[in-house]
Amino acid sequence: MAASNAHSPLGDWLAGRSDDLRRRRWRGVLWIAGDAPQAVHKALVWIAAGRWQSPLWIGPEPASSGHASPLPEGVPRLSASRARGQLGSEHDLVIFDAVSPASGFDPDAFGAISGTIRAGGWLVLLTPGHWQRPTDAQWPPDADYQRLAHWPHPVETLPARYLQRLGARLRDDARLVAWPAEAGLPGPSPEMAGSPAAGVDGHSPAGARDDSDCLTRDQAEAVSRLTRMRRRRPVVLVADRGRGKSAALGIAAARRLMRGERRLWIAASSSVAVEAVFERLQRLLPGGEREAGRFEVRLDGRDCRVEWLAPEQVVPALAALDIDTQSPPTLFVDEAAAIPAARLVDWLRRFPRIAFATTVHGYEGTGRGFEVRLRDALDRLTPEWRRLQLDTPIRWAAGDPLEALTRDLLCLDAEIVAAESVAAVARPMPVVYAWLDRAALARDDDLLRSIFGLLVQAHYRTSPSDLRHLLDGPDVHLLAAFVGDMVVGICVVQQEGGFDAELANAIYHGQRRPRGHLLAQSLATHGGFEAAALARWWRIMRIAVHPLARREGTGSAMIERVATAARERAVDQLGVSFGAEPSLTRFWRRQGFRSLRIGLTREASSGEPAQMMALALTDESARLLDRMHDDFVRHLPDLLAAELRDIDAPVVAAWLHEGAAPALPADLHQRLAWFAAGGGELAPVRPWLREAWLGWWRQQPLAAVERSLACEESGSQTPGDLTRSARVAVPALFQYRDEALVRQGRRERLATARELAADLLAWHHDRRAADGAAPVPG
């Protein structure tokens, strides 16, 4: 895009500063604070002063409110909600409008778009003028707080502690350039410390390396390891953004094909996440063709292909007739932190050659928590696994001002208390629990970072906007656990429900849907319980405990204190909603929670359906929860046969254990004996087998079921135990997936079903035995 006044004083200033940035391979940050017309006008002047190849404006149309000229031709514009769609693209200028009346500061958009700016480029941040004045008493929420507000709190009543923190961090950052409202030119440039980075030509930011396809030594080492990866020796690749992680996967995938592999799978939550992988494949193998998440190429007479699979597609893909389950395709998992750990462990068991790659800090998912959750399984199942870290930036150089600012503003580098500090505390730990004042927390950045670090490491997906909700979300309560002055646990509670009768009835009939109130609205609108909207809920949104402080009862103690505080405030019930996985179901069942509803589609964040559970706090609420839980138990088999047919067996087995054992028909033994002896077919006998299995399963002690499902997640189960029974019986009897009995052959499947019937028959002959020593069906 040509500039109209590139040789103006501002143009000269910009040219000199941009030259410095290019020499150091850094990205610049310009902060313009003022009223909306003034700030937007300055941004338009800035655009005109430079020569930009790929500019982008994030925010509303500048001329939409009549206070500025339209964007120049050649400057595309996107709303903040679409910023994440720019992943994989590159820009030399991004204007981020957080000042216009219709915009505001969207933390997720800022995190996403900051990674798309190339070395030598600029991010221009527009904010209200009061962000530069720390003494201003009034900090109103901006327009993006509309996403945070919910009934009965209008957006203008919300505090703006998060924005105050942003303003303070910007004022204290010496790496950015400020352009004061009254000044004709931006302020003095920050001092350029250190010598320029290598690779001014954009080809070699890290100096010498032995691999011509790689840009840094650590990327070359990662590619080498991924290319030579052997059976049961997985690779875990962690990196911050801009380190060439996805490119390393693409290079290694191309080389594995060139070395003789025919097929390789790449799992990621979205096709956007693996765009860089396929771009590198196409560059290294130009004779190939790419279409819809698949790359195909012919090499040395072999037809080869690389395929992207969504997480829920990976295990079903193994059932294809052309797949050898003993030697399936190599599996690369990109942005593994965005995928629940239980699913990753399942893949670790199934795929002899597997690599996990993830971002250490970022909105895609958090590598710190990913490593904590996966390390035990890696050590146990594949002790020869290898961890590699990419430290050297590729798209920009170390010390980049924009990367440092983004981490600081969004708390992307939030860390938990150092392990040695917690380990040094005598056991048992003297834990003190305290409800936090969020206004004080916003002023204590060290405590805020420790708390956010706990949430980051405990959850597969923590977004930048979660920090804003922590500080400013309406009706949010925070309970923390301390050992001395160290925070070792945090529980985030959201108040919900309590609608008036008229609004509750409208929600129940699907006529109204006020923002927020997840449990109250879902159970009323989709579950058919109007009383759920009338009831007052405390939803435990997040609970996190330091890894070295777990199994000390800290999490349970926090839940008990939350329940006590809720009763004191006349709250009817505690609730939770999470992406269903057995470990989480087990935890909440141990706290006395019961399942109320399962979502019928998989959540984008977890890849699993949402599971809602609750604990009654009053006698009246107990009666309501009894009704909802009974509905859950009664309707679950129908859902498993249709909408939930593809859910993994361990998840379903955890659901099926809830509820009373069914009353079994008097002739059940006769039916089982007839089928086990060779009579009948599976289809008409399936209902009998289902009832018999459920009667057995629900009489198993919860502790035994928990151990069995934990073994399933860890991969340490042995044939013939409870785990094998659940893995075989659940899909075959409840989800009509007969292939679970045995992979191929109708006759073989029928024989396995008859064996299951014989085992069930043996157990039911002696079902009154207290020790459960009879044969386990499976």
Side-chain angles (χ1 to χ4, degrees):
M1 183 190 121
S4 57
N5 56 350
H7 297 294
S8 65
L10 177 61
D12 293 340
W13 183 99
L14 175 58
R17 179 74 173 105
S18 296
D19 284 345
D20 286 342
L21 291 174
R22 282 190 288 271
R23 281 195 295 272
R24 287 164 173 79
R25 302 190 62 258
W26 284 357
R27 285 112 29 99
V29 182
L30 176 71
W31 181 21
I32 301 175
D35 59 43
Q38 182 182 55
V40 170
H41 173 73
K42 280 182 174 291
L44 294 174
V45 171
W46 178 271
I47 292 174
R51 297 185 180 277
W52 313 106
Q53 295 179 349
S54 53
L56 179 65
W57 186 286
I58 299 293
E61 172 61 49
S64 60
S65 57
H67 60 64
S69 305
L71 282 177
E73 184 178 353
V75 180
R77 183 191 66 83
L78 288 176
S79 64
S81 63
R82 297 176 60 193
R84 189 165 179 172
Q86 291 297 294
L87 288 173
S89 64
E90 285 194 339
H91 304 282
D92 57 356
L93 173 66
V94 171
I95 308 291
F96 195 91
D97 180 3
V99 69
S100 294
S103 60
F105 186 88
D106 181 336
D108 298 325
F110 188 88
I113 206 66
S114 65
T116 70
I117 300 171
R118 67 170 68 109
W122 286 88
L123 175 87
V124 178
L125 176 61
L126 315 183
T127 75
H130 64 263
W131 284 35
Q132 288 185 330
R133 298 188 293 272
T135 57
D136 274 14
Q138 296 298 318
W139 273 75
D142 61 29
D144 199 61
Y145 271 60
Q146 289 284 357
R147 297 191 297 138
L148 195 62
H150 64 67
W151 183 93
H153 302 279
V155 65
E156 61 271 12
T157 67
L158 300 187
R161 307 178 189 107
Y162 178 80
L163 298 181
Q164 287 178 286
R165 178 187 178 275
L166 291 182
R169 307 308 292 183
L170 288 167
R171 291 192 301 272
D172 292 343
D173 197 308
R175 295 160 294 202
L176 58 76
V177 178
W179 193 356
E182 65 282 356
L185 290 174
S189 300
E191 183 179 349
M192 288 290 193
S195 57
V200 178
D201 60 358
H203 292 295
S204 180
R209 79 277 181 198
D210 298 327
D211 193 321
S212 60
D213 293 323
C214 297
L215 296 178
T216 64
R217 289 191 181 93
D218 46 11
Q219 188 187 53
E221 181 185 356
V223 167
S224 176
R225 289 282 178 181
L226 291 166
T227 303
R228 297 182 290 109
M229 187 170 55
R230 299 177 181 178
R231 291 178 66 91
R232 313 310 302 167
R233 296 183 182 180
V235 171
V236 175
L237 183 62
V238 294
D240 267 338
R241 296 171 69 191
R243 268 63 180 175
K245 165 183 60 63
S246 294
L249 294 179
I251 297 169
R255 292 185 180 176
R256 293 188 74 92
L257 296 185
M258 289 188 283
R259 286 173 174 240
E261 287 195 26
R262 294 176 177 269
R263 199 167 185 178
L264 187 143
W265 291 344
I266 299 178
S269 295
S270 70
S271 59
V272 172
V274 294
E275 182 68 24
V277 178
F278 282 98
E279 285 182 357
R280 192 54 59 105
L281 273 169
Q282 206 152 25
R283 186 182 307 174
L284 295 176
L285 301 173
E289 295 183 359
R290 179 184 172 189
E291 182 180 354
R294 173 182 293 195
F295 178 83
E296 297 183 343
V297 65
R298 189 164 180 81
L299 297 172
D300 300 326
R302 296 174 290 111
D303 290 324
C304 306
R305 69 176 181 264
V306 177
E307 299 166 89
W308 164 69
L309 297 176
E312 64 272 16
Q313 296 174 322
V314 172
V315 172
L318 290 171
L321 295 178
D322 59 342
I323 298 297
D324 178 1
T325 55
Q326 299 303 309
S327 185
T330 297
L331 179 65
F332 286 173
V333 185
D334 203 4
E335 295 307 345
I339 300 170
R343 178 163 278 177
L344 300 177
V345 173
D346 183 40
W347 295 348
L348 185 63
R349 291 196 338 264
R350 294 173 183 268
F351 288 88
R353 294 182 177 88
I354 186 170
F356 303 98
T358 198
T359 304
V360 179
H361 303 116
Y363 52 88
E364 303 95 334
T366 307
R368 299 297 190 208
F370 155 77
E371 288 194 82
V372 168
R373 292 191 300 275
L374 195 61
R375 183 179 293 272
D376 287 346
L378 286 163
D379 288 342
R380 183 176 56 254
L381 300 175
T382 54
E384 295 186 74
W385 69 281
R386 180 67 179 265
R387 181 188 189 275
L388 300 174
Q389 181 157 337
L390 303 184
D391 292 313
T392 310
I394 288 178
R395 302 212 308 265
W396 48 82
D400 174 65
L402 178 55
E403 181 176 61
L405 177 68
T406 302
R407 286 186 181 181
D408 184 38
L409 292 183
L410 305 183
C411 268
L412 293 181
D413 54 356
E415 299 285 359
I416 58 177
V417 176
E420 54 270 19
S421 300
V422 177
V425 177
R427 296 290 200 271
M429 296 189 302
V431 183
V432 176
Y433 300 90
W435 292 94
L436 301 181
D437 180 318
R438 292 195 289 165
L441 178 62
R443 296 189 295 270
D444 188 341
D445 213 60
D446 289 340
L447 178 59
L448 179 64
R449 287 177 177 275
S450 295
I451 286 173
F452 201 59
L454 279 175
L455 296 174
V456 161
Q457 62 84 31
H459 201 257
Y460 45 77
R461 169 98 34 110
T462 301
S463 68
S465 60
D466 289 337
L467 183 64
R468 181 174 66 177
H469 188 272
L470 197 72
L471 293 176
D472 295 332
D475 294 327
V476 170
H477 309 284
L478 305 178
L479 177 66
F482 292 90
V483 175
D485 59 355
M486 297 181 299
V487 60
V488 297
I490 183 68
C491 186
V492 183
V493 180
Q494 173 73 64
Q495 183 174 309
E496 294 189 356
F499 296 104
D500 59 62
E502 182 179 356
L503 182 53
N505 186 260
I507 293 169
Y508 170 61
H509 287 99
Q511 298 164 352
R512 294 281 303 277
R513 191 173 182 178
R515 186 183 294 276
H517 303 269
L518 173 65
L519 291 177
Q521 294 205 70
S522 178
L523 293 169
T525 304
H526 303 296
F529 290 94
E530 185 175 1
L534 294 167
R536 298 187 68 211
W537 297 78
W538 271 16
R539 176 166 64 95
I540 298 177
M541 294 183 61
R542 302 282 292 277
I543 186 167
V545 176
H546 194 289
L548 293 184
R550 292 174 185 166
R551 299 178 179 86
E552 303 278 350
T554 305
S556 297
M558 285 195 291
I559 293 171
E560 290 176 8
R561 283 163 172 77
V562 168
T564 298
R567 289 189 184 96
E568 293 171 352
R569 291 163 175 78
V571 173
D572 299 301
Q573 49 242 337
L574 298 185
V576 292
S577 178
F578 53 88
E581 56 177 287
S583 62
L584 294 176
T585 303
R586 292 196 300 274
F587 173 80
W588 290 108
R589 285 191 70 185
R590 287 197 298 271
Q591 315 311 314
F593 286 63
R594 294 186 295 168
S595 297
L596 305 181
R597 184 172 183 270
I598 300 295
L600 302 184
T601 58
R602 295 178 183 269
E603 293 183 305
S605 60
S606 68
E608 303 291 354
Q611 180 171 353
M612 297 180 179
M613 303 181 74
L615 172 70
L617 301 178
T618 68
D619 291 341
E620 184 176 353
S621 68
R623 288 189 287 273
L624 172 62
L625 292 192
D626 283 344
R627 292 169 53 210
M628 290 192 283
H629 179 64
D630 289 346
D631 257 20
F632 166 80
V633 172
R634 184 168 58 253
H635 296 153
L636 181 59
D638 286 338
L639 296 176
L640 295 175
E643 289 83 358
L644 302 178
R645 191 172 182 268
D646 65 338
I647 303 301
D648 293 343
V651 177
V652 176
W655 299 339
L656 287 170
H657 191 257
E658 295 191 55
L664 301 176
D667 61 348
L668 176 67
H669 289 189
Q670 178 184 347
R671 293 278 184 165
L672 292 178
W674 167 69
F675 181 67
E681 296 289 334
L682 174 58
V685 177
R686 196 189 314 264
W688 295 89
L689 290 173
R690 186 161 54 230
E691 286 189 85
W693 188 88
L694 204 55
W696 164 76
W697 181 242
R698 288 186 179 162
Q699 292 187 55
Q700 302 304 310
L702 177 59
V705 169
E706 289 183 346
R707 285 194 300 270
S708 129
L709 296 179
C711 287
E712 169 66 24
E713 287 180 89
S714 67
S716 60
Q717 79 274 13
T718 56
D721 66 3
L722 299 182
T723 305
R724 180 174 180 273
S725 177
R727 178 163 286 283
V728 170
V730 165
L733 302 184
F734 294 89
Q735 298 173 297
Y736 295 83
R737 289 159 48 192
D738 292 353
E739 67 275 9
L741 294 168
V742 66
R743 190 177 179 201
Q744 293 177 338
R746 173 185 170 278
R747 181 178 300 176
E748 290 80 2
R749 290 174 182 173
L750 187 57
T752 303
R754 296 193 197 282
E755 292 174 7
L756 176 61
D759 286 343
L760 287 167
L761 179 65
W763 188 88
H764 281 284
H765 272 313
D766 197 21
R767 66 179 182 271
R768 295 179 182 176
D771 60 2
V776 173

